Amino acid sequence: MRIAVFAGDGIGPEVTAQAVRVLEALGLSGLELVEGDVGGAAYRKHGHPLPEQTLDIARASDAILFGAVGDFTLDHLERRLRPEQAVLGLRKELGLFANLRPAKVFAGLEDLSTLRPEVSAKIDLLIVRELTGDVYFGEKGTRTLEDGRRQGWDMMAYAEDEVRRIAHTGFKAAQGRSKKLCSVDKANVLETSQLWRDVVIEVAAEYPDVELTHMYVDNAAMQLVKNPGAFDVIVTGNLFGDILSDQASMCVGSIGLLASASLAEGSFGLYEPIHGSAPDIAGKGIANPMATILSAAMLLRHSLGLEEQAARIEAAVAAALADGVKGGDLGGSAGTKEIGDAVLAHL
Ligand code: IPM
Ligand code: MG
């Protein structure tokens, strides 16, 4: 079992270090951790945010534990050299097409949401976001029109097989939960979305036990703050999923607790906290590592088939929270290492 550890930028190294401690504490035999450079850190060292040697480490691994990438001091670089390209490149190169972003309110933390506690308490949803297509990866550019005006353009497109495979992921996830799937699109305006909807309906025939509904993305954004408890599994495209998953995380109110998995066909996956590099608090030892620790739990479950160990980590995090061990993002004052210590103690 080889896990690539790509800590990246900002708070990435601090939070990843605590997740590594937790993984090592499990004492799994045959577990090997291999570090690699990504993001701005890799650009500074190798001149590229996703160097070839990092990709080689990824390809020779069973899963990737990922910290964060993003460094605003490098935003002036041409797009292909910016830190974000590391995660976009890994998604594309490794075929990580299915992004799972669970959002659930931990018991006792209902007050962290800006929504009323009785509304936020009901949040327990999963966003299944397509991750390797859509306007993110279409042709793009800037050009000068005949009349001399500059125009930026990005091509939005989905081929039916891309929609079909993420639809299957969505339906299977729904089967494992409350058997409700909501497909989010903008079929009233976009051809890309009309095809998306048609294909999702075709795939639905194979899952008669799952109740499928469709929602336009603007309405979904509204329903997510009005009645988030009504959602269970949402399946959507890359751009809409990017936006709605940030929104869902804030409905929960504790972005420092939310983990994610990006899965390829088979068991390979990349696991990362959704909070990003948080440069404002980097290096201060105050970042909450729980989302990364919970991402490590998802890694054990989805890529290594170690459900029991995954559940142990999740229980240890819940127990630390129940003890009142909370980072600044949760209104507490526990530091990064202190939180790691508390999780380890419960483990
Ligand atoms: C995310 C992030 C990325 C995305 C950025 C860093 C490129 O926002 O994982 O949601 O847009 O997909
Ligand atoms: Mg995002």
Side-chain angles (χ1 to χ4, degrees):
M1 298 182 293
R2 184 181 293 159
I3 300 178
V5 179
F6 298 161
D9 303 321
I11 61 172
E14 301 161 57
V15 293
T16 307
Q18 298 307 316
V20 164
R21 284 177 77 202
V22 169
L23 283 173
E24 286 177 337
L26 290 171
L28 300 167
S29 71
L31 181 71
E32 194 193 339
L33 302 173
V34 187
E35 290 183 12
D37 299 316
V38 288
Y43 173 77
R44 291 202 159 84
K45 233 162 127 181
H46 312 279
H48 197 280
L50 183 58
E52 203 50 49
Q53 56 264 51
T54 299
L55 265 175
D56 289 343
I57 294 171
R59 290 201 183 97
S61 303
D62 297 300
I64 302 170
L65 180 66
F66 195 89
V69 289
D71 178 342
F72 60 86
T73 66
L74 297 175
D75 283 351
H76 62 279
L77 293 172
E78 58 178 303
R79 184 167 302 283
R80 63 177 193 91
L81 295 177
R82 291 191 204 162
E84 289 75 13
Q85 294 303 311
V87 71
L88 295 174
L90 284 167
R91 288 171 185 172
K92 200 66 184 175
E93 288 294 322
L94 304 172
L96 303 168
F97 71 95
N99 188 211
L100 310 184
R101 297 192 164 180
K104 181 179 174 13
V105 169
F106 279 73
L109 300 183
E110 298 83 0
D111 285 340
L112 292 171
S113 174
T114 49
L115 302 176
R116 288 197 304 272
E118 69 269 24
V119 176
S120 68
K122 299 201 186 89
I123 302 174
D124 183 0
L125 59 87
L126 172 68
I127 296 185
V128 177
R129 169 190 175 194
E130 200 289 327
L131 209 54
T132 51
D134 202 355
V135 68
Y136 267 62
F137 292 99
E139 268 189 71
K140 59 184 77 216
T142 44
R143 60 192 166 203
T144 306
L145 300 174
E146 276 177 16
D147 62 7
R149 286 179 301 150
R150 287 173 305 153
Q151 184 186 54
W153 59 277
D154 301 83
M155 163 89 162
M156 175 182 268
Y158 264 125
E160 59 180 314
D161 56 305
E162 294 176 299
V163 181
R164 199 166 288 121
R165 67 179 179 178
I166 195 70
H168 280 292
T169 308
F171 280 107
K172 285 184 185 132
Q175 281 183 325
R177 294 175 50 113
S178 66
K179 299 193 165 54
K180 278 175 20 184
L181 180 66
C182 179
S183 172
V184 171
D185 63 38
K186 188 70 185 171
N188 51 346
V189 179
L190 303 173
E191 280 305 310
T192 313
S193 279
Q194 187 59 57
L195 182 89
W196 173 282
R197 187 175 288 216
D198 294 346
V199 173
V200 171
I201 290 170
E202 287 164 25
V203 174
E206 296 176 44
Y207 300 89
D209 53 331
V210 176
E211 180 200 329
L212 172 67
T213 54
H214 304 273
M215 202 179 277
Y216 296 139
V217 64
D218 49 346
N219 185 25
M222 199 165 73
Q223 298 304 326
L224 260 179
V225 285
K226 186 178 176 208
N227 185 17
F231 289 103
D232 188 40
V233 182
I234 292 174
V235 65
T236 191
N238 204 344
L239 181 63
F240 300 154
D242 178 47
I243 299 166
L244 292 180
S245 60
D246 265 30
Q247 193 187 349
S249 73
M250 264 304 110
C251 292
V252 171
S254 45
I255 197 165
L257 293 180
L258 299 185
S260 76
S262 303
L263 306 175
E265 220 82 69
S267 63
F268 188 82
L270 178 151
Y271 301 82
E272 61 177 321
I274 72 160
H275 49 58
S277 59
D280 52 325
I281 59 165
K284 297 185 179 162
I286 58 172
N288 183 356
M290 282 177 167
T292 315
I293 294 171
L294 292 169
S295 298
M298 287 186 95
L299 183 158
L300 296 176
R301 172 176 295 124
H302 292 285
S303 283
L304 302 183
L306 298 172
E307 171 60 36
E308 187 202 320
Q309 286 83 349
R312 273 181 64 201
I313 293 178
E314 288 163 351
V317 170
L321 284 169
D323 283 351
V325 179
K326 292 177 190 166
D329 59 311
L330 307 182
S333 60
T336 311
K337 175 155 186 303
E338 193 184 332
I339 295 173
D341 290 343
V343 173
L344 280 174
H346 281 288
L347 202 63

